[in-house]
Amino acid sequence: MVSDQEATTTLKYSWNEGLTWDTFEFSKEPVEVEDIVIEPTSTGERFILHGMTTRGRGIIVALDFSSLHKRTCLGNDDPGVANSDYEIWSPRGPEECLLGHKISYVRRKRDSECFNPEEWDRPQRISFCACKEEDWECDSGFIRRSEGGPCERIDGKLLDFSPPKDCEGTYFASRGYRKIAGDTCFGGVDYSSIELPCPTLIILRTVDSVAIIAIFIGLFAIVVALALQAKPNSQGYEEVKRDDDNTAHSMQQRETSIDLGDSATKE
């Protein structure tokens, strides 16, 4: 760390995350430091400082901290134990959620006088949390009129779930809330927008239902009509039976007449 407000000849560094600071003189002449270049992974022990002296001369200084601690940190696979140089650390504590999740990192213990391997991949652990009230903020056009109060429309009117003019299929209606950007919570308190069907889709569904019912009634009427035509007529059976009875009676009378005639001839 070096001052960027005034020319200086020294810089400060810490191996225990700020518990203690050491001073190192990198120049005999005061330098206005412009930048300190480090590796993108921030795991290197060599840096480049560049700036301008008070006499207007550019200067570049190579800083090498590898000789301060020769031991490489151990135990990154088993952080938190006594003989490990690493611990598990969370920004807000292991039981507190931040933006809908709990996250913890494996980092070097502050009092371990060692350096991380240059190829070491810093592990992290993430677990997600149920949504709470603080995971939601007011949507556009809504405000909280009191601390911790509900999100209400700015104009004071009730929620409007009217569909848009170019509605096709379904649309989403805001309930006045939206999840904070980057928040990964799930479940719990849910103020998500409601998905509703477009009115045109409702009309089409109604028309389809009426058409199906009409077709069903028509088919039922046809089946009933055919059934009635195919059913035997009981009166017809009775008429035929009566005709058969009359014919049989006539024949019986004729046979009786013939018998009487034959009897008269014999006499």
Side-chain angles (χ1 to χ4, degrees):
M1 183 176 66
V2 65
S3 174
D4 60 351
Q5 301 297 321
E6 58 182 1
T8 181
T9 60
T10 61
L11 60 82
K12 293 183 178 182
Y13 65 93
S14 175
W15 275 91
N16 49 25
E17 300 182 6
L19 289 178
T20 59
W21 291 90
D22 296 317
T23 302
F24 172 73
E25 184 181 37
F26 65 90
S27 175
K28 297 296 184 182
E29 183 179 355
V31 176
E32 295 180 358
V33 178
E34 297 177 357
D35 195 9
I36 298 178
V37 181
I38 62 176
E39 295 182 6
T41 58
S42 301
T43 58
E45 298 174 285
R46 298 174 178 84
F47 311 91
I48 295 178
L49 180 151
H50 63 87
M52 191 76 66
T53 65
T54 54
R55 293 185 297 174
R57 183 170 61 91
I59 184 174
I60 295 178
V61 179
L63 304 173
D64 187 356
F65 292 91
S66 59
S67 60
L68 294 179
H69 299 293
K70 297 181 180 180
R71 184 175 70 87
T72 303
C73 296
L74 303 174
N76 57 345
D77 294 331
D78 195 14
V81 300
N83 58 350
S84 175
D85 292 315
Y86 294 91
E87 64 181 357
I88 299 175
W89 174 81
S90 178
R92 296 187 62 180
E95 301 301 327
E96 296 188 34
C97 296
L98 179 63
L99 291 177
H101 58 267
K102 302 174 184 178
I103 185 169
S104 58
Y105 302 90
V106 176
R107 70 173 186 179
R108 180 178 61 84
K109 293 179 180 178
R110 302 177 73 176
D111 55 353
S112 293
E113 296 184 357
C114 60
F115 62 89
N116 293 317
E118 293 187 4
E119 301 299 328
W120 178 58
D121 185 17
R122 187 184 301 272
Q124 58 183 10
R125 304 172 184 177
I126 300 177
S127 60
F128 298 98
C129 310
C131 294
K132 299 180 180 180
E133 189 77 26
E134 53 266 26
D135 292 307
W136 300 88
E137 63 182 359
C138 291
D139 203 353
S140 299
F142 295 82
I143 60 172
R144 297 184 190 269
R145 302 188 185 279
S146 61
E147 184 69 24
C151 292
E152 302 175 359
R153 288 181 51 162
I154 296 178
D155 56 11
K157 297 181 179 179
L158 299 177
L159 293 177
D160 184 9
F161 293 154
S162 302
K165 294 182 179 179
D166 55 347
C167 187
E168 295 182 2
T170 59
Y171 68 99
F172 289 90
S174 174
R175 291 193 284 177
Y177 297 84
R178 63 186 177 193
K179 192 176 291 186
I180 296 175
D183 199 302
T184 58
C185 70
F186 71 97
V189 178
D190 187 9
Y191 291 139
S192 302
S193 298
I194 305 174
E195 185 177 8
L196 300 173
C198 294
T200 53
L201 185 60
I202 296 176
I203 295 175
L204 289 175
R205 287 180 177 175
T206 304
V207 172
D208 291 342
S209 301
V210 173
I212 292 172
I213 295 173
I215 293 172
F216 177 78
I217 293 175
L219 292 175
F220 180 76
I222 293 172
V223 171
V224 171
L226 294 175
L228 291 176
Q229 291 179 2
K231 183 178 180 180
N233 191 337
S234 59
Q235 294 179 356
Y237 278 116
E238 291 178 358
E239 291 175 359
V240 172
K241 185 177 180 181
R242 289 175 182 174
D243 292 341
D244 292 342
D245 292 342
N246 293 332
T247 302
H249 182 67
S250 298
M251 291 179 66
Q252 185 177 4
Q253 289 179 350
R254 187 178 301 176
E255 290 177 355
T256 304
S257 299
I258 293 173
D259 292 339
L260 292 174
D262 291 341
S263 299
T265 302
K266 289 179 182 181
E267 292 176 359

